[in-house]
Amino acid sequence: MRIIDGNTVVSVAEMRQSDAWTIENLTDSKTLMSRAGQAVVDNVDWNNCNDKKILIVCGKGNNAGDGYVIARLLKEKDYTPELMLLYSDSFSEDGKYFFDRCVDIGVSVTEFNREVDFSEYGIIVDCIFGTGFHGNATGKAAEIISKINESGAYVVSVDINSGLNGDTGLGEVFVKSDITISIGNYKYGHFTGNSSIAMKKKVNCDIGIVLQT
């Protein structure tokens, strides 16, 4: 743990340890995921889509789960979000729970399609990879990251920009966001490596994870 620009900043391992401790002792994992999605919804001006559509791009695991929560909450606010899945056969337990809630209320769901025109969207939410990502984005993940960056949309990255390592901020192909909404605590990757060119703005949201270091 360090203090950077007045902010408490932790490693990915410290964040995972803190998350696990909180789930075991204080708050169940679905509640934390719901809070994370709510934090994103509360920190974005969704009317910024300029009458275009809202797309939420989801990978796998709990980062995708945050995207499903966001989609459900937006649908309940009478927006018409669309979910695009990169891996339609891979869900975390909590992610599947919230994905099913989206299906129940009629959120539009599609799989990754190279022919989709991303310029049709006014806001794109990046829930592809989380802070544990390392290496370099390849294959369809790299393709969709490039499409997001070329879309002209207002881009929201959840927790950290997909393609960046949460500890180093490094990566060859990564989402360039208008706002990055960190969950729990900032990670080192929010301040190092490519972070300065990946994030125009960043904000951290406390969702009740008790820091353990």
Side-chain angles (χ1 to χ4, degrees), residues 91-110:
F91 297 89
S92 68
E93 180 180 349
D94 290 347
K96 186 63 165 63
Y97 173 83
F98 286 111
F99 175 76
D100 289 344
R101 302 290 80 73
C102 288
V103 173
D104 289 344
I105 62 173
V107 173
S108 173
V109 180
T110 61

Side-chain angles (χ1 to χ4, degrees), residues 5-211:
D5 297 339
N7 299 293
T8 299
V9 182
V10 300
S11 68
V12 171
E14 288 171 329
M15 194 74 254
R16 285 181 174 172
Q17 178 184 353
S18 302
D19 188 56
W21 186 93
T22 301
I23 290 168
E24 182 177 352
N25 294 280
L26 294 176
T27 309
D28 67 272
S29 57
K30 288 185 178 65
T31 297
L32 290 180
M33 185 172 285
S34 183
R35 289 177 184 174
Q38 185 69 62
V40 175
V41 170
D42 291 344
N43 278 277
V44 175
D45 178 8
W46 299 98
N47 295 318
N48 197 35
C49 61
N50 298 319
D51 296 323
K52 291 186 176 183
K53 298 182 289 185
I54 299 171
L55 179 67
I56 303 169
V57 183
C58 296
K60 60 178 73 174
N62 287 340
N63 197 245
D66 294 342
Y68 307 143
V69 175
I70 295 164
R72 178 179 61 82
L73 293 172
L74 290 177
K75 181 75 171 179
E76 291 173 351
K77 288 177 175 286
D78 294 325
Y79 292 97
T80 53
E82 297 179 17
L83 285 169
M84 179 176 287
L85 310 185
L86 267 70
Y87 312 101
S88 58
D89 58 349
S90 182
F91 297 89
S92 68
E93 180 180 349
D94 290 347
K96 186 63 165 63
Y97 173 83
F98 286 111
F99 175 76
D100 289 344
R101 302 290 80 73
C102 288
V103 173
D104 289 344
I105 62 173
V107 173
S108 173
V109 180
T110 61
E111 295 186 28
F112 172 57
N113 182 344
R114 291 176 176 83
E115 304 306 316
V116 172
D117 182 1
F118 277 43
S119 68
E120 295 179 356
Y121 298 98
I123 297 177
I124 298 177
V125 183
D126 157 33
C127 294
I128 303 169
F129 298 128
T131 56
F133 176 81
H134 55 86
N136 292 304
T138 59
K140 60 185 176 182
E143 288 184 53
I144 205 166
I145 287 171
S146 295
K147 283 182 172 289
I148 291 171
N149 290 340
E150 295 165 1
S151 67
Y154 184 87
V155 177
V156 180
S157 284
V158 177
D159 210 4
I160 198 165
N161 301 48
S162 291
L164 293 185
N165 181 299
D167 282 327
T168 67
L170 295 176
E172 292 182 1
V173 180
F174 51 87
V175 172
K176 296 179 180 178
S177 67
D178 291 279
I179 185 170
T180 297
I181 300 175
S182 164
I183 304 298
N185 286 91
Y186 282 122
K187 274 63 73 178
Y188 293 125
H190 288 113
F191 297 91
T192 58
N194 294 313
S195 60
S196 62
I197 59 174
M199 309 170 194
K200 289 183 181 178
K201 177 182 178 182
K202 55 181 175 279
V203 61
N204 184 71
C205 295
D206 180 2
I207 63 169
I209 297 172
V210 179
L211 194 58

